[in-house]
Amino acid sequence: MVKIIPLEKAENVRDLGGYKTPNGTVKFNKVVRGASLSDLSVRDREALQQYGVTDVVDFRSPSEAKDAPDKKIPTAKEYFLPVFGHDETKASISPQELLKQLEQGMTAQAQMIKVYRHFIEDEHAKKAYQEFLQILLANSDEQKSVLFHCTAGKDRTGFGAALVLDLLGVEQQTIMTDYLATNQYLNDRIANMTAAAKKQGAPELLVNGIEALMKADEAYLNESYTAAREHYGSLTNYAKEGLGFTAGEISDLQKLYLTK
């Protein structure tokens, strides 16, 4: 069901359409998730414009966006909504700094689980996702898409996709399947990164840490669900009580993004 949008210089860009819910099917050409857009080719930008991308939401930190700014898609409006003030996901961390933290006792898995809890608990993150949902609500034209992304399209974007699909009524296991599909589309990148680290003589601790940071893991997203249940009762209630998204707005979102 995962619909990848093939691009020359961007990975993990895919349409969230096609998933079934009790009230209909998620429409295609309405909401797209992706990884970094900093290396888009001219053809890529033209392809995304033709696909109907009219809004681009960037979840990256200010430093990530400064170091690798998005290549602009013609006619698309850009929204910079950093989920965190700095890159908690470690998507842009140097191998040296990562190794230092690992040697100090921080495991990559523990770091990522903390990040996914912060999606629910961190006020900065909540503000970003609240504004993201409002952008989706304003996307009332058919065949016009909102594209949202971070660096790898895995964590900040993965949680954003889970939140949207949950509000549309997609079942949790289907949402998890969409989330884990990232591993298929980042497999080459992960393999290249770990191979390069091994070639440079990196210790096994670092190689394993890179892999843990770069892969989508069921335990990571489950931590967001756990935190949402602890604080709000469910992910939908997190949107209502934590983000101030009303029942009427959820209904409007479903009208915009579901087809019978």
Side-chain angles (χ1 to χ4, degrees), residues 39 45 60 125 148 163 169 195 241:
D39 294 324
R45 283 176 275 173
R60 297 177 300 166
F148 62 102
L163 177 61
E241 300 173 20

Side-chain angles (χ1 to χ4, degrees), residues 106-148:
M106 179 211 77
T107 68
Q109 290 86 350
Q111 171 65 26
M112 295 310 301
I113 285 174
K114 183 171 71 173
V115 166
Y116 277 74
R117 178 164 283 270
H118 282 178
F119 292 145
I120 301 298
E121 298 176 343
D122 184 84
E123 291 301 321
H124 198 283
K126 285 158 65 174
K127 184 175 186 298
Y129 288 116
Q130 178 188 51
E131 292 185 31
F132 170 53
L133 291 180
Q134 293 300 326
I135 292 167
L136 291 178
L137 266 184
N139 180 31
S140 59
D141 293 340
E142 293 294 331
Q143 303 300 310
K144 289 190 176 181
S145 299
V146 174
L147 188 160
F148 62 102

Side-chain angles (χ1 to χ4, degrees), residues 5-157:
I5 300 174
L7 299 172
E8 296 175 335
K9 297 293 184 178
E11 301 171 302
N12 203 22
V13 179
R14 41 196 169 98
D15 198 307
L16 287 183
Y19 292 121
K20 304 291 185 182
T21 82
N23 297 315
T25 302
V26 181
K27 295 177 181 177
F28 284 106
N29 291 91
K30 288 292 290 179
V31 60
V32 176
R33 57 177 293 173
S36 174
L37 305 181
S38 62
D39 294 324
L40 289 178
S41 67
V42 172
R43 286 185 179 179
D44 290 340
R45 283 176 275 173
E46 291 174 349
L48 290 172
Q49 181 180 10
Q50 291 173 5
Y51 199 79
V53 174
T54 56
D55 299 283
V56 175
V57 176
D58 186 351
F59 284 147
R60 297 177 300 166
S61 67
S63 61
E64 289 173 281
K66 181 180 178 181
D67 291 342
D70 280 355
K71 291 287 178 61
K72 299 185 184 301
I73 299 169
T75 72
K77 185 174 181 179
E78 298 181 339
Y79 298 86
F80 184 55
L81 302 180
V83 171
F84 302 121
H86 63 281
D87 181 16
E88 288 196 18
T89 66
K90 308 297 183 184
S92 56
I93 192 172
S94 70
Q96 295 81 7
E97 181 61 25
L98 174 59
L99 179 59
K100 179 181 177 181
Q101 294 185 16
L102 292 172
E103 289 175 339
Q104 291 174 345
M106 179 211 77
T107 68
Q109 290 86 350
Q111 171 65 26
M112 295 310 301
I113 285 174
K114 183 171 71 173
V115 166
Y116 277 74
R117 178 164 283 270
H118 282 178
F119 292 145
I120 301 298
E121 298 176 343
D122 184 84
E123 291 301 321
H124 198 283
K126 285 158 65 174
K127 184 175 186 298
Y129 288 116
Q130 178 188 51
E131 292 185 31
F132 170 53
L133 291 180
Q134 293 300 326
I135 292 167
L136 291 178
L137 266 184
N139 180 31
S140 59
D141 293 340
E142 293 294 331
Q143 303 300 310
K144 289 190 176 181
S145 299
V146 174
L147 188 160
F148 62 102
H149 78 94
C150 51
T151 293
K154 176 177 72 76
D155 304 310
R156 292 160 288 189
T157 297

Side-chain angles (χ1 to χ4, degrees), residues 133 163 167 232 234-246 250:
L133 291 180
L163 177 61
L167 292 176
Y232 303 104
S234 68
L235 196 57
T236 295
N237 282 340
Y238 155 79
K240 291 179 179 178
E241 300 173 20
L243 307 185
F245 208 59
T246 68
I250 293 174

Side-chain angles (χ1 to χ4, degrees), residues 136-201:
L136 291 178
L137 266 184
N139 180 31
S140 59
D141 293 340
E142 293 294 331
Q143 303 300 310
K144 289 190 176 181
S145 299
V146 174
L147 188 160
F148 62 102
H149 78 94
C150 51
T151 293
K154 176 177 72 76
D155 304 310
R156 292 160 288 189
T157 297
F159 175 75
L163 177 61
V164 172
L165 293 175
D166 180 86
L167 292 176
L168 294 179
V170 178
E171 64 177 12
Q172 186 173 332
Q173 188 52 55
T174 300
I175 293 172
M176 184 65 72
T177 299
D178 178 86
Y179 167 74
L180 294 175
T182 282
N183 291 331
Q184 175 185 348
Y185 298 109
L186 293 184
N187 188 56
D188 288 345
R189 179 197 282 196
I190 297 170
N192 290 337
M193 290 178 67
T194 55
K198 290 177 181 177
K199 186 175 181 179
Q200 295 171 7

